Amino acid sequence: MKWPAAIALALGLAGCASTPLSYLDATSPIGGPIAELGWGLTAISVGVCIIVGILLLVAILRRRPSSAGTIGPVNDRTSIRWIGIGVAISTVFLLGSAVWTLVTVNIIGQPAASNTISVDVIGQEWWWGVHYNSSDPARQFTTANQLVIPVGVPVQINLRSNDVIHSFWVPKLGGKMDMIPSRTNVTWIEADKPGTYRGQCSEFCGLQHANMAFTVKAVSQADFDAWWTRQLAPPATAPDDPRLATFMTRCAACHAIRGTPAGGIVGPDLSHFGSRPTIASGLLPNTAANLASWINNTQTIKPGVKMPQLHMLASEIDDVTSFLEELQ
Ligand code: HEC
Ligand SMILES: [Cu+2]
């Protein structure tokens, strides 16, 4: 696409187009038509502004006939003809834009028929619950703040909220859709290329709205199947691991780890936390050092977050940090 790039440059938007949250260079089956529509409507608006500006200048600079000294209702035929022409041109452009928009909405509204993967995404202040569905209950599992999807396969996303209105948006992969308490909205995403795509809550939902992000990792079908199987397996922990005991007393009221007695649902499921890319919904890279500092500094790192600052002993922090990072 050359001409949109030229316009972007002209508008000084070239920098934005390369940021991870720009929808303008999307290439997915849903993101592509949205990006084209965005560029098209921008071009039409700029064109209309230029034309109106020129006509306005002409009108201001043109000398009036000396007879037209008074202001009153327009009743000469030429003026009325120009009004008609103006209305006609506007109608054509507006109708064209409306039809283009409806066609795009229709394309992005329909998940492809071959749709086989269905994922529930549940928004809450300020993180994302993720549940992979399957007709076989033994193949379902729960994770958080990360979606893994196979390249070239449409994935149906069922959107819900546990508290206020949030909005699901992965700019490079698909349109955004609201997550509304007590109802389920359905959308879909699909990636043409492998890679990591950033998602972001796009409906203001409180103090940490800006830090409510997630990642979508698109991988080959084989890697996806392997990932799914790994997620199903309970993480390898020994029931008598003393570190699990620390986790049980300090963290399990809010966090679940499958295959252990920890079953809290207030915070994200941590069953395979070590394999996830971030901590605190996209805020920090997932490293042992960041995890250790997160546990005792939640309210400094993400003020207002619904995880209390725990004031744990250094030895306890070491325990849960090494324990969680091993949950691959
Ligand atoms: C009162 C409930 C509560 C307790 C107790 C609690 N957490 Fe949390 N935790 C949360 C919530 C809620 C979040 C989501 C924060 C966000 O991103 O907005 C969270 C997030 C996290 C995350 C980031 C997960 C992700 O995918 O981004 C980690 C890791 C974590 N907690 C570890 C712990 C550990 C370790 C303990 C015990 C030492 C603990 N938590 C105790 C509620 C709790
Ligand atoms: Cu939000």
Side-chain angles (χ1 to χ4, degrees):
M1 274 209 265
K2 272 191 185 132
W3 62 269
I7 295 172
L9 215 67
L11 295 177
L13 287 175
C16 303
S18 61
T19 63
L21 276 179
S22 167
Y23 75 94
L24 292 173
D25 52 355
T27 56
S28 71
I30 318 166
I34 296 177
E36 277 161 28
L37 178 67
W39 283 116
L41 293 184
T42 308
I44 291 174
S45 315
V46 170
V48 168
C49 280
I50 292 176
I51 293 171
V52 171
I54 292 175
L55 289 179
L56 206 62
L57 269 182
V58 169
I60 291 170
L61 298 177
R62 216 172 59 168
R63 281 173 68 93
R64 293 189 203 185
S66 53
S67 62
T70 53
I71 295 172
V74 178
N75 58 8
D76 65 292
R77 288 182 159 275
T78 331
S79 309
I80 289 179
R81 205 177 69 217
W82 274 108
I83 292 174
I85 292 173
V87 170
I89 294 177
S90 311
T91 309
V92 169
F93 274 105
L94 288 177
L95 265 183
S97 307
V99 170
W100 192 355
T101 305
L102 288 177
V103 169
T104 307
V105 167
N106 187 45
I107 295 174
I108 64 177
Q110 298 173 340
S114 67
N115 188 7
T116 48
I117 301 164
S118 145
V119 184
D120 298 344
V121 177
I122 300 107
Q124 37 220 308
E125 290 173 319
W126 289 278
W127 59 280
W128 310 79
V130 176
H131 183 80
Y132 278 71
N133 295 306
S134 166
S135 51
D136 174 0
R139 287 195 56 80
Q140 303 195 4
F141 66 91
T142 301
T143 176
N145 299 323
Q146 185 200 24
L147 289 167
V148 175
I149 61 171
V151 168
V153 177
V155 178
Q156 180 184 317
I157 312 278
N158 313 306
L159 299 166
R160 299 206 303 274
S161 165
N162 266 354
D163 38 44
V164 298
I165 302 178
H166 302 276
S167 185
F168 175 92
W169 192 32
V170 192
K172 286 191 199 281
L173 298 185
K176 67 175 97 141
M177 190 171 280
D178 278 4
M179 318 168 84
I180 297 169
S182 79
R183 62 171 290 168
T184 302
N185 279 347
V186 177
T187 186
W188 59 293
I189 54 173
E190 180 176 341
D192 284 343
K193 285 182 281 190
T196 301
Y197 304 88
R198 190 178 160 94
Q200 171 68 40
C201 179
S202 47
E203 178 69 47
F204 181 71
C205 58
L207 194 57
Q208 287 299 335
H209 160 66
N211 289 321
M212 182 170 164
F214 61 102
T215 36
V216 180
K217 196 170 157 197
V219 298
S220 69
Q221 183 71 47
D223 287 353
F224 174 72
D225 293 339
W227 177 80
W228 188 312
T229 308
R230 257 197 332 276
Q231 294 290 315
L232 286 177
T237 55
D240 56 354
D241 188 332
R243 300 173 305 171
L244 176 60
T246 314
F247 188 88
M248 288 306 301
T249 32
R250 305 305 302 263
C251 325
C254 298
H255 292 287
I257 297 179
R258 257 170 291 136
T260 76
I265 52 166
V266 177
D269 182 297
L270 298 177
S271 298
H272 289 271
F273 175 73
S275 69
R276 298 215 293 254
T278 65
I279 300 173
S281 316
L283 189 52
L284 304 169
N286 185 359
T287 64
N290 282 343
L291 180 56
S293 101
W294 165 249
I295 294 169
N296 264 4
N297 303 292
T298 50
Q299 298 302 321
T300 335
I301 294 173
K302 196 169 176 176
V305 71
K306 312 275 168 166
M307 173 164 157
Q309 200 148 308
L310 286 164
H311 307 293
M312 304 225 305
L313 301 174
S315 61
E316 290 178 309
I317 295 211
D318 286 349
D319 276 1
V320 287
T321 301
S322 69
F323 177 69
L324 286 180
E325 293 297 346
E326 280 169 27
L327 301 181
Q328 287 295 324

